Amino acid sequence: MKVRIDERLEDAQMIKSWAKFLKAKKIIIANDEIEKMDLEKEIIRMGLDHIRVDFIQVEKLKDKLENEDNKESLIFVKKPEDLKSLEDDKISSIELGFMAFKEGFKLLSENCYVCPKDLKFFKEIMDKGVDIFMQDNPYSTKKNINYFI
């Protein structure tokens, strides 16, 4: 299962681009503010004709993934901490997208900032074999974050 961490979950074009680029059969968007996204949900679903799209609360992500075959799923979350309840062996790779600057965060790329706690989390799961990359859009260069840790 592939994961994309990106703060732009309301951006239908971003979701559509990644889904098509990674040839996802199913999209799961986990967000604590999902009930406020009614219009975005419809726009995202319209742009992904033959791809199943599920919207769930972050707290329900672990249960959702345990009850289904997710090998061809693409998971979208807003922040690294949204993944902490998941078992690392279910995640094959993590793509880091747009993550805004906040005080105390480290610059990884012009559009990707992470806090020391997130870097520690990334190091732990990379040590377990999960590949983590930064990539602004599907057609930009993929950069492994090993260099930054």
Side-chain angles (χ1 to χ4, degrees):
M1 147 181 79
K2 297 176 181 174
V3 176
R4 171 105 177 143
I5 302 173
D6 200 305
E7 293 180 5
R8 304 168 295 169
L9 295 183
E10 299 84 10
D11 184 343
Q13 187 58 41
M14 184 272 296
I15 302 282
K16 180 180 174 180
S17 296
W18 280 103
K20 291 188 177 195
F21 180 75
L22 295 173
K23 298 179 174 90
K25 301 255 191 255
K26 180 171 61 169
I27 303 285
I28 299 171
I29 299 174
N31 184 353
D32 288 333
E33 300 170 2
I34 209 73
E35 67 277 350
K36 298 177 187 174
M37 293 178 58
D38 289 334
L39 178 60
E40 291 86 352
K41 287 180 195 177
E42 292 308 311
I43 293 170
I44 290 168
R45 283 189 174 119
M46 285 189 315
L48 297 168
D49 304 339
H50 304 292
I51 299 174
R52 180 176 152 194
V53 182
D54 292 336
F55 296 87
I56 61 169
Q57 295 284 329
V58 170
E59 67 187 28
K60 296 178 181 175
L61 183 58
K62 182 178 180 179
D63 291 338
K64 174 86 171 156
L65 298 178
E66 286 178 358
N67 296 321
E68 296 185 31
D69 178 18
N70 295 293
K71 290 182 176 128
E72 296 179 342
S73 295
L74 176 56
I75 315 298
F76 285 90
V77 296
K78 268 195 171 181
K79 49 193 183 283
E81 67 190 49
D82 295 342
L83 301 174
K84 291 188 178 176
S85 69
L86 302 183
E87 296 172 30
D88 304 329
D89 64 338
K90 294 190 182 229
I91 300 172
S92 59
S93 66
I94 297 174
E95 297 277 346
L96 304 180
F98 180 81
M99 296 165 63
F101 171 78
K102 294 173 188 76
E103 188 69 36
F105 279 37
K106 179 180 179 177
L107 169 74
L108 295 184
S109 76
E110 69 182 51
N111 293 318
C112 187
Y113 296 84
V114 295
C115 71
K117 181 175 67 173
D118 294 338
L119 284 174
K120 182 180 178 197
F121 171 66
F122 291 150
K123 171 94 172 89
E124 289 170 4
I125 62 174
M126 284 175 17
D127 289 346
K128 295 177 182 176
V130 176
D131 294 322
I132 304 176
F133 301 95
M134 286 183 301
Q135 194 169 7
D136 292 333
N137 63 65
Y139 307 103
S140 64
T141 303
K142 189 185 270 194
K143 300 172 197 139
N144 192 308
I145 70 162
N146 277 331
Y147 173 78
F148 300 96
I149 294 182

